[in-house]
Amino acid sequence: MNSIAQQLKTRFEKAFTSAFGESYADTDLMLAPAGNPKFGDFQCNAAMSLGKKLGKPPRAIASTIIENLDIADICETPEIAGPGFINLKLKPAYLEAQVSAIAADTRLGIEPVKTPQRVVIDFSSPNIAKEMHVGHLRSTIIGDAIARTLEFQGHDVIRINHIGDWGTQFGMLIAYLREVHPEALTTADALDLGDLVAFYRKAKQRFDADETFKETARQEVVKLQAGAEDTRRAWKLLCDQSRREFQVIYDLLDIKLTERGESFYNPLLSAVVADLTELGLLVESDGAKCVFVEGFTNKEGEPLPLIVQKTDGGYNYATTDLAAIRYRIQNDKAKRIIYVTDSGQANHFAQVFAVARKAGWIPEDVEIVHVPFGLVLGEEGKRLKTRSGEAVRLQDLLDEAVVRTRQDLEERLKTEERQETEEFIANVSRTVGLSAVKYADLSQNRASNYIFSYDKMLALQGNTAPYMLYAYVRVQGIRRKGEINFDNLDAGAKVILQSDAELVLAKHLLQFNEVVNAVAGDLLPNRICQYLFELSQKFNQFFEQCPVLKADEPLRTSRLILCDLTARSLKLGLELLGIQVLERM
């Protein structure tokens, strides 16, 4: 089902053709929602831009457009305002028909795309032998929300977890554990992951300070790459342990991923270097093999190379990322590749993409994009850390959200003198707590830093998950109180929009498809959050001003349809964000 804006656009294009000829069919309509409701619902400002081209006053052009505009079934008679603005007010009858149509549709009027694509989304990407921390939160849930939105549109999405499971860090850790805790290299879970992280830090300190240990670590890397049995077994044990710990968090957050770590691409790295050599793109610089592309310079303004093979013959992140691009295009047949990482990696990916394009590895019909995001800050405005200065463990952050939610819930139950089961309390605490963390992050423009505040994200008012969930629960309360089965409402019942609150809610419900399509394009999930927040506000105003269960028929059924459609829109929107709804809170 086309959005209202799309339907108007089609009508205006026909009017432009009729009024000015085929050459004006593609004129920028400058059609947008009216900034002030008193001017109507939409405004077309094209007459001003056409004034110079046609050599006529904009108001005269606007009049000509209206004479050729066939929108009587959609809008009231268009009005010309100011120097030539065309103001449009939607007819209630048209809105009623549109709301009825999306209410009868399981997808709420959001049609699947006509040409689905294979899309690879690279997100989350923690490192083996390290705990997931707050820095992984944004990549994980932003990537998941993007994946869910594109999947809902009908695209074939491959969700890739490009974990750090290869390279020098394993040589350091294995060499250190051989000295201080050798059983960890032969026995599963001989150490807790937290202890493993502590040993990794000590190994890094030794590596930086002790040349002998550094050489030992490098030899372990050589053995790992050569497939030495004991080193490979140790590596696999460490990977398996970390993987199980990661999965605990992924299960908590309801995240689905296909793991392809750095080791997956290791057999492909030599071919990357060989092909770049054959293409004549490799340049030796200080013993390393590099590619230079225009537009990349260091702080001194000198050309900045992308190193693909180090002086010792080893490979690095850039080599792996180039191999991954080739694999995703050649093997996965991806037409769109999306990387969700922090904004600090923007220059790295820009350079990698530039090299891949220079090598001819990215066809014209393949889109490759970096989706950057900002930092998670503490309430003092600095990077969120523990008191000891370390990154906050993601598990601790999520657990704390659930604990605080439970405390708030138990206090509210006591105040309301409500008795609930332990199962109810635990489920609501977990759902609301985790949803609050997700929503607080996703509601921000991903490119910005944001301040992490439990108090704000758990608030029952404002643009928070609890506020959205309460709006959904309010509809379920109406259902229970009236003993209503929304599925059994009269399929032929007419939607009646009489009051301002009903009209405002209906117009907003009809914008959902535009929002979903916009997010699929610009990959900004906060658009969905803003839509849901405004939907909840408009529904609450409707609920306060328009009796539902006490209304007489046919108004009662009409308002029940609006309630159900609101709940379904909230549920779908929250699902696209990876958030579950609750029937009661």
Side-chain angles (χ1 to χ4, degrees), residues 103-151:
D105 182 8
T106 56
R107 292 179 57 89
L108 306 180
I110 307 172
E111 296 178 354
V113 291
K114 291 182 174 60
T115 53
Q117 292 181 316
R118 170 70 59 80
V119 183
V120 169
I121 307 181
D122 182 326
F123 66 103
S124 193
S125 308
N127 290 314
I128 295 296
K130 294 183 181 179
E131 293 172 301
M132 290 182 73
H133 54 75
V134 67
H136 295 111
L137 175 67
R138 302 209 75 183
S139 176
T140 302
I141 62 178
I142 292 170
D144 181 58
I146 291 171
R148 287 171 183 265
T149 302
L150 294 176
E151 286 163 351

Short mmCIF file of all heavy atoms in Angstrom, two decimals, residues 103-151:
data_model
loop_
_atom_site.label_atom_id
_atom_site.label_comp_id
_atom_site.label_asym_id
_atom_site.label_seq_id
_atom_site.Cartn_x
_atom_site.Cartn_y
_atom_site.Cartn_z
N ALA A 103 -5.83 -1.74 8.72
CA ALA A 103 -6.31 -2.55 9.84
C ALA A 103 -6.61 -3.98 9.38
O ALA A 103 -6.47 -4.93 10.15
CB ALA A 103 -7.56 -1.92 10.45
N ALA A 104 -6.99 -4.13 8.12
CA ALA A 104 -7.32 -5.45 7.58
C ALA A 104 -6.09 -6.21 7.08
O ALA A 104 -6.19 -7.37 6.68
CB ALA A 104 -8.33 -5.30 6.45
N ASP A 105 -4.94 -5.55 7.13
CA ASP A 105 -3.70 -6.12 6.58
C ASP A 105 -2.79 -6.59 7.72
O ASP A 105 -2.49 -5.81 8.63
CB ASP A 105 -2.99 -5.06 5.74
CG ASP A 105 -1.72 -5.57 5.08
OD1 ASP A 105 -1.46 -6.79 5.15
OD2 ASP A 105 -0.98 -4.75 4.51
N THR A 106 -2.33 -7.82 7.66
CA THR A 106 -1.45 -8.34 8.72
C THR A 106 -0.14 -7.58 8.77
O THR A 106 0.51 -7.55 9.82
CB THR A 106 -1.16 -9.83 8.50
OG1 THR A 106 -0.59 -10.02 7.19
CG2 THR A 106 -2.43 -10.66 8.62
N ARG A 107 0.28 -6.96 7.68
CA ARG A 107 1.53 -6.19 7.63
C ARG A 107 1.28 -4.70 7.80
O ARG A 107 2.18 -3.89 7.58
CB ARG A 107 2.27 -6.46 6.33
CG ARG A 107 2.83 -7.87 6.20
CD ARG A 107 3.54 -8.06 4.86
NE ARG A 107 4.61 -7.11 4.67
CZ ARG A 107 5.88 -7.29 5.05
NH1 ARG A 107 6.22 -8.43 5.66
NH2 ARG A 107 6.79 -6.37 4.83
N LEU A 108 0.07 -4.32 8.17
CA LEU A 108 -0.27 -2.92 8.44
C LEU A 108 0.02 -2.01 7.25
O LEU A 108 0.42 -0.85 7.41
CB LEU A 108 0.49 -2.41 9.67
CG LEU A 108 0.34 -3.25 10.95
CD1 LEU A 108 1.13 -2.65 12.09
CD2 LEU A 108 -1.12 -3.39 11.33
N GLY A 109 -0.18 -2.54 6.06
CA GLY A 109 0.00 -1.72 4.86
C GLY A 109 1.43 -1.57 4.41
O GLY A 109 1.70 -0.83 3.46
N ILE A 110 2.34 -2.25 5.06
CA ILE A 110 3.76 -2.15 4.68
C ILE A 110 4.09 -3.32 3.76
O ILE A 110 4.30 -4.44 4.21
CB ILE A 110 4.68 -2.16 5.92
CG1 ILE A 110 4.23 -1.09 6.92
CG2 ILE A 110 6.14 -1.93 5.51
CD1 ILE A 110 4.95 -1.15 8.25
N GLU A 111 4.14 -3.06 2.48
CA GLU A 111 4.35 -4.13 1.51
C GLU A 111 5.82 -4.56 1.47
O GLU A 111 6.72 -3.73 1.65
CB GLU A 111 3.93 -3.67 0.11
CG GLU A 111 2.46 -3.35 -0.01
CD GLU A 111 2.09 -2.85 -1.40
OE1 GLU A 111 3.02 -2.65 -2.22
OE2 GLU A 111 0.89 -2.66 -1.65
N PRO A 112 6.09 -5.85 1.23
CA PRO A 112 7.47 -6.28 1.02
C PRO A 112 8.07 -5.59 -0.22
O PRO A 112 7.32 -5.19 -1.12
CB PRO A 112 7.35 -7.79 0.79
CG PRO A 112 6.00 -8.17 1.34
CD PRO A 112 5.13 -6.97 1.14
N VAL A 113 9.37 -5.45 -0.23
CA VAL A 113 10.01 -4.80 -1.38
C VAL A 113 9.80 -5.65 -2.63
O VAL A 113 9.70 -6.88 -2.57
CB VAL A 113 11.53 -4.59 -1.14
CG1 VAL A 113 11.76 -3.55 -0.07
CG2 VAL A 113 12.21 -5.91 -0.78
N LYS A 114 9.74 -4.99 -3.77
CA LYS A 114 9.50 -5.71 -5.03
C LYS A 114 10.74 -6.44 -5.51
O LYS A 114 10.65 -7.46 -6.20
CB LYS A 114 9.02 -4.72 -6.10
CG LYS A 114 7.62 -4.17 -5.83
CD LYS A 114 7.17 -3.23 -6.94
CE LYS A 114 5.72 -2.79 -6.77
NZ LYS A 114 5.48 -2.09 -5.50
N THR A 115 11.93 -5.93 -5.17
CA THR A 115 13.17 -6.59 -5.59
C THR A 115 14.06 -6.83 -4.37
O THR A 115 14.93 -6.02 -4.05
CB THR A 115 13.93 -5.71 -6.61
OG1 THR A 115 14.11 -4.39 -6.06
CG2 THR A 115 13.16 -5.61 -7.91
N PRO A 116 13.84 -7.94 -3.67
CA PRO A 116 14.64 -8.25 -2.48
C PRO A 116 16.12 -8.41 -2.83
O PRO A 116 16.47 -8.84 -3.93
CB PRO A 116 14.05 -9.58 -1.98
CG PRO A 116 12.73 -9.69 -2.64
CD PRO A 116 12.84 -8.98 -3.95
N GLN A 117 16.97 -8.06 -1.88
CA GLN A 117 18.42 -8.17 -2.06
C GLN A 117 19.01 -9.14 -1.04
O GLN A 117 18.44 -9.38 0.02
CB GLN A 117 19.09 -6.81 -1.86
CG GLN A 117 18.80 -5.76 -2.90
CD GLN A 117 19.53 -4.47 -2.60
OE1 GLN A 117 19.57 -4.01 -1.46
NE2 GLN A 117 20.15 -3.88 -3.61
N ARG A 118 20.16 -9.69 -1.39
CA ARG A 118 20.97 -10.38 -0.39
C ARG A 118 21.79 -9.30 0.32
O ARG A 118 22.55 -8.57 -0.30
CB ARG A 118 21.90 -11.40 -1.07
CG ARG A 118 22.95 -12.03 -0.19
CD ARG A 118 22.38 -12.99 0.84
NE ARG A 118 21.64 -14.09 0.27
CZ ARG A 118 22.18 -15.20 -0.26
NH1 ARG A 118 23.49 -15.32 -0.31
NH2 ARG A 118 21.40 -16.16 -0.73
N VAL A 119 21.60 -9.19 1.64
CA VAL A 119 22.28 -8.16 2.43
C VAL A 119 23.12 -8.83 3.52
O VAL A 119 22.65 -9.69 4.24
CB VAL A 119 21.25 -7.22 3.11
CG1 VAL A 119 21.97 -6.11 3.87
CG2 VAL A 119 20.29 -6.62 2.09
N VAL A 120 24.38 -8.44 3.60
CA VAL A 120 25.26 -8.89 4.67
C VAL A 120 25.42 -7.74 5.67
O VAL A 120 25.75 -6.62 5.29
CB VAL A 120 26.65 -9.30 4.13
CG1 VAL A 120 27.62 -9.52 5.29
CG2 VAL A 120 26.54 -10.58 3.31
N ILE A 121 25.13 -8.03 6.94
CA ILE A 121 25.31 -7.03 8.00
C ILE A 121 26.35 -7.55 8.98
O ILE A 121 26.20 -8.63 9.56
CB ILE A 121 24.00 -6.72 8.74
CG1 ILE A 121 22.91 -6.33 7.74
CG2 ILE A 121 24.22 -5.60 9.75
CD1 ILE A 121 21.58 -5.99 8.38
N ASP A 122 27.42 -6.82 9.13
CA ASP A 122 28.55 -7.18 10.00
C ASP A 122 28.39 -6.36 11.29
O ASP A 122 28.54 -5.14 11.27
CB ASP A 122 29.85 -6.83 9.27
CG ASP A 122 31.11 -7.18 10.03
OD1 ASP A 122 31.10 -7.09 11.27
OD2 ASP A 122 32.11 -7.50 9.38
N PHE A 123 28.06 -7.05 12.41
CA PHE A 123 27.86 -6.30 13.65
C PHE A 123 28.22 -7.14 14.87
O PHE A 123 28.45 -8.34 14.76
CB PHE A 123 26.42 -5.78 13.75
CG PHE A 123 25.34 -6.82 13.87
CD1 PHE A 123 24.73 -7.08 15.09
CD2 PHE A 123 24.87 -7.51 12.76
CE1 PHE A 123 23.70 -8.01 15.20
CE2 PHE A 123 23.85 -8.44 12.85
CZ PHE A 123 23.26 -8.70 14.08
N SER A 124 28.29 -6.49 16.01
CA SER A 124 28.65 -7.03 17.32
C SER A 124 30.16 -7.21 17.43
O SER A 124 30.85 -6.40 18.01
CB SER A 124 27.91 -8.33 17.64
OG SER A 124 28.05 -8.63 19.01
N SER A 125 30.69 -8.31 16.90
CA SER A 125 32.14 -8.53 16.72
C SER A 125 33.00 -8.34 17.98
O SER A 125 33.91 -7.51 18.00
CB SER A 125 32.67 -7.60 15.61
OG SER A 125 31.90 -7.74 14.45
N PRO A 126 32.73 -9.12 19.04
CA PRO A 126 33.62 -9.06 20.21
C PRO A 126 34.92 -9.81 19.93
O PRO A 126 35.08 -10.42 18.87
CB PRO A 126 32.81 -9.78 21.30
CG PRO A 126 31.96 -10.74 20.53
CD PRO A 126 31.63 -10.06 19.22
N ASN A 127 35.84 -9.76 20.88
CA ASN A 127 37.13 -10.44 20.74
C ASN A 127 37.19 -11.64 21.69
O ASN A 127 36.76 -11.55 22.84
CB ASN A 127 38.29 -9.49 21.06
CG ASN A 127 38.45 -8.42 20.00
OD1 ASN A 127 38.44 -8.70 18.81
ND2 ASN A 127 38.58 -7.18 20.44
N ILE A 128 37.75 -12.72 21.19
CA ILE A 128 37.96 -13.90 22.02
C ILE A 128 38.90 -13.56 23.18
O ILE A 128 39.82 -12.76 23.03
CB ILE A 128 38.56 -15.05 21.17
CG1 ILE A 128 37.54 -15.49 20.09
CG2 ILE A 128 38.96 -16.23 22.03
CD1 ILE A 128 36.26 -16.09 20.62
N ALA A 129 38.64 -14.20 24.33
CA ALA A 129 39.44 -14.02 25.55
C ALA A 129 39.26 -12.64 26.15
O ALA A 129 40.05 -12.21 26.98
CB ALA A 129 40.93 -14.30 25.30
N LYS A 130 38.21 -11.95 25.70
CA LYS A 130 37.84 -10.67 26.31
C LYS A 130 36.34 -10.69 26.57
O LYS A 130 35.58 -11.26 25.79
CB LYS A 130 38.19 -9.49 25.39
CG LYS A 130 39.69 -9.30 25.16
CD LYS A 130 39.93 -8.08 24.29
CE LYS A 130 41.41 -7.87 24.02
NZ LYS A 130 41.65 -6.69 23.15
N GLU A 131 35.91 -10.06 27.65
CA GLU A 131 34.49 -10.00 27.95
C GLU A 131 33.82 -8.92 27.13
O GLU A 131 34.42 -7.87 26.84
CB GLU A 131 34.29 -9.73 29.45
CG GLU A 131 34.74 -10.90 30.32
CD GLU A 131 34.72 -10.55 31.79
OE1 GLU A 131 35.41 -9.59 32.18
OE2 GLU A 131 34.03 -11.25 32.55
N MET A 132 32.57 -9.17 26.77
CA MET A 132 31.81 -8.13 26.07
C MET A 132 31.57 -6.98 27.05
O MET A 132 31.18 -7.19 28.20
CB MET A 132 30.48 -8.68 25.56
CG MET A 132 30.64 -9.66 24.42
SD MET A 132 29.05 -10.27 23.78
CE MET A 132 28.45 -8.83 22.90
N HIS A 133 31.80 -5.76 26.57
CA HIS A 133 31.64 -4.60 27.44
C HIS A 133 30.63 -3.65 26.82
O HIS A 133 30.04 -3.92 25.76
CB HIS A 133 32.98 -3.91 27.69
CG HIS A 133 33.71 -3.53 26.44
ND1 HIS A 133 33.35 -2.47 25.65
CD2 HIS A 133 34.80 -4.10 25.84
CE1 HIS A 133 34.18 -2.37 24.62
NE2 HIS A 133 35.06 -3.35 24.70
N VAL A 134 30.42 -2.52 27.47
CA VAL A 134 29.39 -1.58 27.03
C VAL A 134 29.64 -1.10 25.60
O VAL A 134 28.69 -0.77 24.88
CB VAL A 134 29.30 -0.38 28.00
CG1 VAL A 134 30.56 0.47 27.94
CG2 VAL A 134 28.08 0.47 27.74
N GLY A 135 30.89 -1.10 25.16
CA GLY A 135 31.19 -0.69 23.79
C GLY A 135 30.59 -1.61 22.75
O GLY A 135 30.37 -1.20 21.61
N HIS A 136 30.33 -2.88 23.13
CA HIS A 136 29.72 -3.81 22.17
C HIS A 136 28.21 -3.66 22.12
O HIS A 136 27.56 -4.20 21.21
CB HIS A 136 30.05 -5.26 22.57
CG HIS A 136 31.51 -5.59 22.47
ND1 HIS A 136 32.30 -5.83 23.57
CD2 HIS A 136 32.33 -5.70 21.39
CE1 HIS A 136 33.54 -6.07 23.18
NE2 HIS A 136 33.58 -6.00 21.86
N LEU A 137 27.64 -2.95 23.09
CA LEU A 137 26.18 -2.83 23.15
C LEU A 137 25.63 -2.18 21.89
O LEU A 137 24.69 -2.69 21.27
CB LEU A 137 25.79 -2.00 24.38
CG LEU A 137 24.30 -1.67 24.52
CD1 LEU A 137 23.51 -2.94 24.79
CD2 LEU A 137 24.07 -0.66 25.64
N ARG A 138 26.21 -1.05 21.50
CA ARG A 138 25.65 -0.29 20.38
C ARG A 138 25.72 -1.08 19.07
O ARG A 138 24.74 -1.15 18.34
CB ARG A 138 26.36 1.06 20.24
CG ARG A 138 26.32 1.93 21.46
CD ARG A 138 26.35 3.41 21.12
NE ARG A 138 25.07 3.86 20.59
CZ ARG A 138 24.83 5.08 20.16
NH1 ARG A 138 25.80 5.99 20.17
NH2 ARG A 138 23.64 5.43 19.70
N SER A 139 26.88 -1.63 18.77
CA SER A 139 27.01 -2.40 17.53
C SER A 139 25.99 -3.53 17.49
O SER A 139 25.35 -3.77 16.47
CB SER A 139 28.43 -2.96 17.41
OG SER A 139 28.54 -3.77 16.25
N THR A 140 25.84 -4.22 18.62
CA THR A 140 24.98 -5.39 18.67
C THR A 140 23.52 -5.04 18.44
O THR A 140 22.84 -5.66 17.61
CB THR A 140 25.14 -6.11 20.02
OG1 THR A 140 26.53 -6.49 20.19
CG2 THR A 140 24.28 -7.36 20.08
N ILE A 141 23.01 -4.03 19.15
CA ILE A 141 21.57 -3.77 19.04
C ILE A 141 21.22 -2.89 17.85
O ILE A 141 20.14 -3.03 17.28
CB ILE A 141 21.00 -3.20 20.35
CG1 ILE A 141 21.63 -1.86 20.73
CG2 ILE A 141 21.15 -4.19 21.47
CD1 ILE A 141 21.04 -1.27 21.98
N ILE A 142 22.14 -2.02 17.43
CA ILE A 142 21.89 -1.25 16.20
C ILE A 142 21.89 -2.19 15.00
O ILE A 142 21.00 -2.13 14.14
CB ILE A 142 22.94 -0.13 16.02
CG1 ILE A 142 22.76 0.94 17.10
CG2 ILE A 142 22.82 0.50 14.63
CD1 ILE A 142 23.89 1.97 17.15
N GLY A 143 22.88 -3.08 14.95
CA GLY A 143 22.94 -4.05 13.85
C GLY A 143 21.72 -4.94 13.81
O GLY A 143 21.17 -5.23 12.74
N ASP A 144 21.26 -5.37 14.99
CA ASP A 144 20.08 -6.24 15.06
C ASP A 144 18.84 -5.51 14.58
O ASP A 144 18.02 -6.07 13.84
CB ASP A 144 19.90 -6.72 16.50
CG ASP A 144 18.70 -7.64 16.65
OD1 ASP A 144 18.65 -8.68 15.98
OD2 ASP A 144 17.79 -7.31 17.45
N ALA A 145 18.67 -4.24 14.98
CA ALA A 145 17.49 -3.47 14.56
C ALA A 145 17.48 -3.26 13.05
O ALA A 145 16.43 -3.36 12.40
CB ALA A 145 17.46 -2.12 15.29
N ILE A 146 18.65 -2.98 12.48
CA ILE A 146 18.75 -2.82 11.03
C ILE A 146 18.41 -4.14 10.33
O ILE A 146 17.67 -4.18 9.35
CB ILE A 146 20.16 -2.33 10.64
CG1 ILE A 146 20.35 -0.87 11.11
CG2 ILE A 146 20.36 -2.43 9.13
CD1 ILE A 146 21.77 -0.37 10.95
N ALA A 147 18.96 -5.24 10.86
CA ALA A 147 18.69 -6.55 10.28
C ALA A 147 17.20 -6.88 10.33
O ALA A 147 16.61 -7.35 9.34
CB ALA A 147 19.49 -7.63 11.02
N ARG A 148 16.57 -6.63 11.47
CA ARG A 148 15.14 -6.93 11.61
C ARG A 148 14.30 -6.11 10.63
O ARG A 148 13.33 -6.62 10.04
CB ARG A 148 14.68 -6.65 13.04
CG ARG A 148 15.17 -7.66 14.07
CD ARG A 148 14.88 -7.20 15.50
NE ARG A 148 15.38 -8.11 16.50
CZ ARG A 148 14.66 -9.08 17.07
NH1 ARG A 148 13.40 -9.23 16.73
NH2 ARG A 148 15.19 -9.88 17.98
N THR A 149 14.66 -4.84 10.46
CA THR A 149 13.91 -3.98 9.55
C THR A 149 14.03 -4.46 8.11
O THR A 149 13.03 -4.55 7.38
CB THR A 149 14.40 -2.52 9.68
OG1 THR A 149 14.25 -2.09 11.04
CG2 THR A 149 13.61 -1.60 8.76
N LEU A 150 15.25 -4.78 7.69
CA LEU A 150 15.46 -5.25 6.32
C LEU A 150 14.83 -6.62 6.10
O LEU A 150 14.30 -6.91 5.02
CB LEU A 150 16.96 -5.28 6.01
CG LEU A 150 17.65 -3.91 5.97
CD1 LEU A 150 19.14 -4.07 5.74
CD2 LEU A 150 17.04 -3.01 4.91
N GLU A 151 14.88 -7.48 7.11
CA GLU A 151 14.22 -8.79 7.01
C GLU A 151 12.72 -8.62 6.86
O GLU A 151 12.08 -9.33 6.07
CB GLU A 151 14.56 -9.63 8.24
CG GLU A 151 15.98 -10.16 8.25
CD GLU A 151 16.45 -10.62 9.62
OE1 GLU A 151 15.73 -10.38 10.63
OE2 GLU A 151 17.54 -11.22 9.70
#
